Amino acid sequence: MMNNEVQTVKRRRGPLEATAQFFSNLMDRYLPDPLVIAMILTVLTMILAIIFQGSSPFQVVDYWGEGFWGLLSFTMQMTVVLLAGYVLAKTPPVDRFLDVLTSKISSPRAAIVAATLVGGIGSWLNWGFGLVMGGIVAQKLAMNVKGLHYPLAIAAGYSGFAVYGIGLSGSVPLLLATPGNFMEEQVGLIPLTDTLFSPYLLLTNLAVFIILPIFNMLLHPKDPAKVREINREDFPAVSVKPVQESTPTIASRLNNSRVVGIGFGLIAMLFAVRYFVKGGTLNLDTVNFMFLFIGILLFMRPSAFLAAVNDGIKVVAGIIIQYPFYAGIMGILSASGLAVALADAFGTFASAETLPFWSFISGGILNILMPSGGGQFAVQGPVMAEAAAALGADHAATAVAVQIGDQWTNMVQPFWVLPVLAISGLKLRDVMGYMVLILIVLGIIFAVSVLVWGFMLA
């Protein structure tokens, strides 16, 4: 009788679900924590620099140590992006909207689709906002929807991050359109109509928004015994209400004053308006500034804003600790010439039509070692631009393909999933099995996109 029940369950599990279960079991058994992975990648990069670049062991250690603190300013920017995005997602108007949205969904598969789309649309608008929004919505859905497999919901919410680089906050397209950027002499200014708003990238985004939610939905376990629901007791509601004191003081009145919060928020918005009127450009600093003060405006009370900030600190803790490790890896890649050598190797056997594809592949590989779109492009961009000029390939397609490769392998690069894991309370191994399959599907979509782009414009 028991054997018949087992066979019935096996018949109910399709090949896709069985594959997802295989990778999940594999990751659960062998995948260490993200910090350990960063350490392993550091040693691997050192070994590669010694073998292929002829660096000595002492040199690679020096490269690593000298680069370890090389991205402190950028680390702070990334931290504020994520924290500001988290706080904005927790503001009462946004939180109420998300509650209304998630309350209308009762089916586990519909919940997976919703988490994917919210994470994707949010990331297309702004990568920091979308990254935390996907995790928050997935968690809200898991709290409301019975029978929803929580690890898959979190993986689905994070998977929308795969379009951030070809969205409104994509660092490479914005850089190429900015006068005075370090690539201007090589490729000139490339307008956003040739990158973000080109038909190739718009169709790529459309394909992701159609295929990815359906694929994620199909990964949901059919066997109820395989479903791991959220433990609702682990996530009590965070209070953002003002603290009521029996004898209010001047200090407590100021902390809970709407006049202070709204008034200072309006001052900040006045500065933002004047900044753009005077010709200011959108960059990380301006996005962070606006997100922070919009958060203050929507919370109204400084005390409520600070309560959300304190809750969001855990979301960014992993970024603060681990980014220096990847900065050290970047130091090795740059100083030893390993990054340039890898990018150059792909350019040597490419044609004008296929260079964007190989740019995409090399960008994806390098992103595993240096998960920073802007920092990676600073190393790889000039090499690929030189190859494009020599082969007659399209500069826009070749450059943006590096960004597409970066966002592609972010699906299995453990660094950027840290904020979502902090929100969810899950471990990396809980979601990585699903992320491997998502990586494969997105790889097909992106590879077809950059190939078509390369052949059409070469």
Side-chain angles (χ1 to χ4, degrees), residues 375-396:
Q376 176 184 339
F377 189 73
V379 175
Q380 189 179 358
V383 179
M384 303 315 297
E386 183 179 342
L391 294 171
D394 182 72
H395 279 297

Side-chain angles (χ1 to χ4, degrees), residues 33-283:
D33 287 333
L35 181 60
V36 177
I37 293 175
M39 294 175 178
I40 293 172
L41 290 175
T42 299
V43 175
L44 174 62
T45 308
M46 289 178 172
I47 294 172
L48 291 175
I50 291 170
I51 294 174
F52 293 105
Q53 296 303 110
S55 301
S56 71
F58 295 112
Q59 283 179 317
V60 295
V61 170
D62 288 344
Y63 298 154
W64 173 73
E66 291 165 2
F68 195 81
W69 300 116
L71 292 175
L72 275 181
S73 176
F74 187 65
T75 302
M76 187 61 183
Q77 285 179 316
M78 297 299 100
T79 301
V80 175
V81 165
L82 291 170
L83 184 59
Y86 178 85
V87 170
L88 186 57
K90 286 292 187 177
T91 58
V94 176
D95 193 55
R96 283 194 295 268
F97 169 75
L98 295 180
D99 283 338
V100 171
L101 176 67
T102 55
S103 67
K104 297 182 181 299
I105 297 173
S106 58
S107 162
R109 291 197 166 195
I112 296 299
V113 171
T116 307
L117 288 175
V118 169
I121 294 170
S123 296
W124 190 86
L125 294 171
N126 176 272
W127 71 264
F129 182 64
L131 181 58
V132 297
M133 183 68 81
I136 290 172
V137 167
Q139 187 181 73
K140 284 181 175 290
L141 288 166
M143 297 287 282
N144 295 333
V145 178
K146 295 288 186 180
L148 177 60
H149 189 46
Y150 188 41
L152 176 59
I154 293 298
Y158 175 69
S159 69
F161 188 55
V163 299
Y164 93 92
I166 51 177
L168 297 182
S169 61
S171 56
V172 172
L174 292 178
L175 172 78
L176 296 174
T178 302
N181 74 79
F182 72 91
M183 293 281 290
E184 187 173 358
E185 288 188 10
Q186 276 186 289
V187 303
L189 288 178
I190 301 178
L192 295 180
T193 51
D194 290 346
T195 55
L196 295 184
F197 302 115
S198 71
Y200 306 102
L201 289 192
L202 292 176
L203 287 173
T204 300
N205 278 313
L206 181 62
V208 171
F209 285 138
I210 292 174
I211 296 172
L212 186 58
I214 295 173
F215 178 77
N216 289 343
M217 177 187 70
L218 295 175
L219 292 176
H220 197 278
K222 296 178 181 177
D223 181 7
K226 298 293 183 182
V227 171
R228 175 182 167 186
E229 291 193 46
I230 190 173
N231 186 351
R232 292 165 178 81
E233 296 179 358
D234 289 342
F235 301 98
V238 178
S239 175
V240 295
K241 295 181 180 179
V243 178
Q244 300 295 335
E245 299 182 6
S246 56
T247 307
T249 64
I250 293 176
S252 65
R253 287 192 177 99
L254 289 173
N255 292 338
N256 296 319
S257 171
R258 286 188 174 94
V259 174
V260 172
I262 296 174
F264 209 84
L266 290 176
I267 291 173
M269 291 302 102
L270 176 61
F271 166 79
V273 171
R274 288 179 54 79
Y275 171 82
F276 288 112
V277 167
K278 291 188 292 186
T281 59
L282 196 66
N283 54 45

Side-chain angles (χ1 to χ4, degrees), residues 275-334:
Y275 171 82
F276 288 112
V277 167
K278 291 188 292 186
T281 59
L282 196 66
N283 54 45
L284 277 176
D285 290 334
T286 55
V287 168
N288 284 342
F289 183 89
M290 289 189 295
F291 270 35
L292 281 174
F293 284 100
I294 290 173
I296 290 176
L297 268 175
L298 294 180
F299 271 116
M300 295 186 286
R301 297 181 175 92
S303 59
F305 173 78
L306 286 176
V309 169
N310 290 333
D311 186 54
I313 292 298
K314 68 179 185 295
V315 175
V316 301
I319 300 291
I320 297 171
I321 293 299
Q322 292 192 37
Y323 216 95
F325 282 86
Y326 288 101
I329 293 174
M330 190 180 299
I332 300 170
L333 290 168
S334 300

